[in-house]
Amino acid sequence: MPLSKRIIPCLDVDNGLVVKGIHFSDVKAAGDPVKMAEKYTEQGADELVFLDITASQEGRRTMKGVVSNVANVVNIPFTVGGGIRNLEDAREILRSGADKVSINTAAVKNPALVTELMEIFGRQCVVVAIDAKCISPRHEIKGEKRNSLNSNGESDDRYEVMIYGGKKETHLDAIQWAREVEGLGAGEILLTSVDADGTEDGYRIDLTNLISNAVRIPVIASGGCGKPEHILRLFKETDADAALAASIFHYDKYTVDKVKSFLQGSGITVRI
Amino acid sequence: MLRIALFDYGAGNLYSLRAALERNTGVQTSIISKLKNIRDYDGLILPGVGNFDPAIISIGEDKELFTKAVKDKIPILGICLGMEMLFNRSEEGKLDGLAILDGQVIMLNKKLTKIPHIGWNTLKIERNGGKLLDGIPDGSWVYFVHSYRISPNDNGMVTANSEYGITIPAAIEIENLYGTQFHPEKSGQTGVIIIKNFLNICREKQ
């Protein structure tokens, strides 16, 4: 039996409560993080990701409490990201009970942080989140749906790394950045398509392939999941190791175990 | 009350391991950074988070006390890095390991698979699983996060293997030493049983 593909519910936490944003804004309230973590664990989630989207200092302190409360009840791994700026922030989150930290803006601003975290906590603790936005010209042509493919049948799309929750450009190329963070010591890449996030019309297959073919560390795909078929397509057509999803689970549209049985029935190796 | 010590390398998350232990009744855990009072405990766990050299440095002067604890037959569970440290040396570091078990720790093969090996993989139980894996069926899913694997001189200590491009020793058991390459504290219900088994081993030796 090979390594299983992972299903990872993602919980965006604002001031201690789980919310789900559309396109990184328009926040809707959804629930208690500890209760939701327990529910997903019982349903067979393989991991959990908590993204702290709080802006205030007080909200950050609340997050540490959330992390230790979650660590008290769940017996599966979980990652915490959002607002981790330096080594001390990361240490506090890991000390509170998280298994991994995910860094994004901080990694772009201070790439040495990735190496520092790897040297102290080990590569497996360091997830670098990459928010990628397509900047190919075709996206400026309204109604144009054809993929731009080169002579090898590969996508010619270019993707730019975005920071500050998908709002600010960096002029970094997503593929080069993925290779760079791998070299710096990242253990995993959490890849979010800024264009797909919140749309529920499916993961970006081209983007996921571009990144997962560029590195030899696991890639978690995120952004756009609206139904189990999207996860199936992701695993059939890309080398992604894990699928991150939020809204399909939060509003009880689907349970993790139902999604996994569906995937298993379609030939995907999952933990059941 | 069963007294379990968790050794702290200063490198991160002991919280979830502690929580996993304390979900069992009658267990008191202490997080220790010195091994000098090791006789006060019924069992010792070397957790799995960190990097080889910093972890070896953190044991430092207590290396002899640790070796003595092993001879005194205190049950010891090494998880991931905590198990790797028991061997002679690791490709992850320059320093010598604790050299309590003979063998090397070598990097997974980059050409065959993605590294780190992260995620849920299945166990192939060997030697009936020994005491630590008692009641764990063949094919059970456990959670791995690692880039290195052990290569013991004596494969007879291996109680479970896992496949990831190559065969990875997933659990060992020899006298009072127990080790897992995966993380029982993160392995759902299977992990709960393994932790219970270790606590029972400690209870028997109490």
Side-chain angles (χ1 to χ4, degrees):
Chain A
M1 189 77 82
L3 190 67
S4 79
K5 296 288 183 184
R6 288 173 278 157
I7 303 297
I8 309 180
C10 177
L11 302 95
D12 286 354
V13 180
D14 184 19
N15 279 305
L17 278 180
V18 176
V19 294
K20 172 60 191 162
I22 310 284
H23 276 290
F24 289 98
S25 59
D26 185 20
V27 161
K28 288 188 215 166
D32 170 20
V34 178
K35 287 213 178 92
M36 291 178 80
E38 266 185 306
K39 182 178 81 175
Y40 294 141
T41 305
E42 279 164 22
Q43 288 178 6
D46 296 307
E47 273 184 58
L48 300 169
V49 167
F50 293 86
L51 292 178
D52 182 7
I53 59 167
T54 311
S56 68
Q57 277 303 315
E58 201 184 321
R60 299 250 176 264
R61 276 194 289 276
T62 310
M63 191 61 193
K64 271 186 273 169
V66 169
V67 172
S68 51
N69 289 338
V70 169
N72 272 333
V73 298
V74 309
N75 51 22
I76 59 168
F78 69 98
T79 303
V80 175
I84 295 167
R85 283 176 299 262
N86 51 45
L87 192 62
E88 274 324 297
D89 290 344
R91 194 190 298 274
E92 280 188 1
I93 289 294
L94 293 169
R95 285 262 162 193
S96 303
D99 299 286
K100 314 178 199 178
V101 288
S102 164
I103 54 170
N104 185 343
T105 304
V108 171
K109 295 196 137 190
N110 176 21
L113 179 62
V114 178
T115 309
E116 230 178 331
L117 288 170
M118 179 269 285
E119 282 172 352
I120 297 173
F121 302 110
R123 185 178 278 273
Q124 76 291 334
C125 267
V126 190
V127 179
V128 173
I130 300 180
D131 291 345
K133 190 175 167 59
C134 189
I135 51 167
S136 301
R138 71 177 172 107
H139 280 260
E140 290 162 15
I141 307 163
K142 219 178 170 185
E144 175 72 61
K145 282 186 178 159
R146 182 181 57 85
N147 283 349
S148 50
L149 300 178
N150 65 19
S151 52
N152 297 324
E154 291 162 346
S155 171
D156 262 344
D157 285 341
R158 291 198 54 243
Y159 291 88
E160 177 173 356
V161 177
M162 305 291 285
I163 52 172
Y164 293 113
K167 290 190 197 79
K168 191 174 182 298
E169 295 95 1
T170 62
H171 306 298
L172 281 171
D173 176 75
I175 297 171
Q176 278 173 19
W177 178 235
R179 288 199 182 111
E180 193 176 334
V181 298
E182 176 182 35
L184 289 167
E188 264 178 307
I189 288 173
L190 167 51
L191 174 68
T192 301
S193 161
V194 174
D195 308 294
D197 197 55
T199 62
E200 301 188 10
D201 63 2
Y203 295 94
R204 290 295 190 266
I205 301 298
D206 285 359
L207 170 66
T208 309
N209 271 326
L210 282 171
I211 300 293
S212 55
N213 292 341
V215 294
R216 291 293 289 160
I217 53 178
V219 173
I220 305 164
S222 157
C225 184
K227 50 184 183 182
E229 288 78 6
H230 291 152
I231 301 177
L232 178 62
R233 181 163 180 233
L234 176 79
F235 289 147
K236 288 264 187 206
E237 295 181 21
T238 80
D239 198 21
D241 299 89
L244 190 100
S247 55
I248 73 160
F249 299 130
H250 292 349
Y251 305 111
D252 293 318
K253 260 161 63 185
Y254 300 95
T255 58
V256 179
D257 45 348
K258 288 265 165 62
V259 169
K260 283 180 143 186
S261 326
F262 165 75
L263 293 171
Q264 191 178 47
S266 308
I268 305 292
T269 303
V270 287
R271 176 182 69 111
I272 287 186
Chain B
M1 189 61 85
L2 196 64
R3 297 153 306 168
I4 303 294
L6 286 185
F7 189 78
D8 184 7
Y9 318 119
N13 177 15
L14 299 181
Y15 195 100
S16 57
L17 183 55
R18 181 180 203 159
L21 289 161
E22 293 188 345
R23 269 177 230 136
N24 294 276
T25 48
V27 177
Q28 188 190 336
T29 58
S30 306
I31 293 181
I32 59 167
S33 54
K34 288 273 166 204
L35 291 168
K36 63 176 181 240
N37 297 323
I38 192 67
R39 284 162 169 269
D40 294 346
Y41 300 98
D42 305 308
L44 171 66
I45 299 184
L46 300 173
V49 187
N51 223 322
F52 195 82
D53 281 355
I56 291 289
I57 290 167
S58 74
I59 288 197
E61 305 156 4
D62 294 341
K63 216 166 160 176
E64 275 176 35
L65 288 165
F66 183 76
T67 314
K68 195 170 176 319
V70 173
K71 287 201 178 114
D72 286 349
K73 306 281 185 214
I74 296 170
I76 294 169
L77 172 62
I79 298 173
C80 198
L81 173 64
M83 170 176 76
E84 294 168 11
M85 286 164 65
L86 299 172
F87 289 87
N88 300 112
R89 63 191 68 81
S90 169
E91 287 180 0
E92 189 182 22
K94 293 187 177 73
L95 300 176
D96 285 342
L98 298 171
I100 289 162
L101 296 174
D102 283 324
Q104 320 276 327
V105 180
I106 49 191
M107 197 170 193
L108 298 175
N109 191 332
K110 241 182 194 157
K111 287 185 193 121
L112 296 175
T113 46
K114 293 187 187 182
I115 296 181
H117 173 211
I118 297 187
W120 296 82
N121 208 328
T122 49
L123 293 177
K124 185 176 180 299
I125 306 289
E126 314 283 351
R127 295 168 52 209
N128 296 320
K131 285 185 192 169
L132 188 66
L133 302 184
D134 185 35
I136 304 294
D138 203 52
S140 295
W141 293 98
V142 290
Y143 188 82
F144 290 84
V145 254
H146 65 120
S147 303
Y148 296 84
R149 68 183 166 97
I150 57 163
S151 173
N153 290 3
D154 170 17
N155 263 318
M157 69 177 74
V158 177
T159 54
N161 283 305
S162 206
E163 292 300 325
Y164 187 60
I166 42 163
T167 299
I168 294 170
I172 57 165
E173 181 164 332
I174 181 163
E175 295 178 17
N176 55 323
L177 294 174
Y178 302 84
T180 59
Q181 188 68 69
F182 56 91
H183 289 256
E185 77 280 17
K186 289 288 153 189
S187 293
Q189 285 309 307
T190 299
V192 170
I193 298 171
I194 294 170
I195 286 171
K196 273 207 174 85
N197 286 346
F198 180 68
L199 294 173
N200 284 337
I201 292 164
C202 297
R203 223 168 255 129
E204 279 169 24
K205 290 272 167 73
Q206 207 175 3

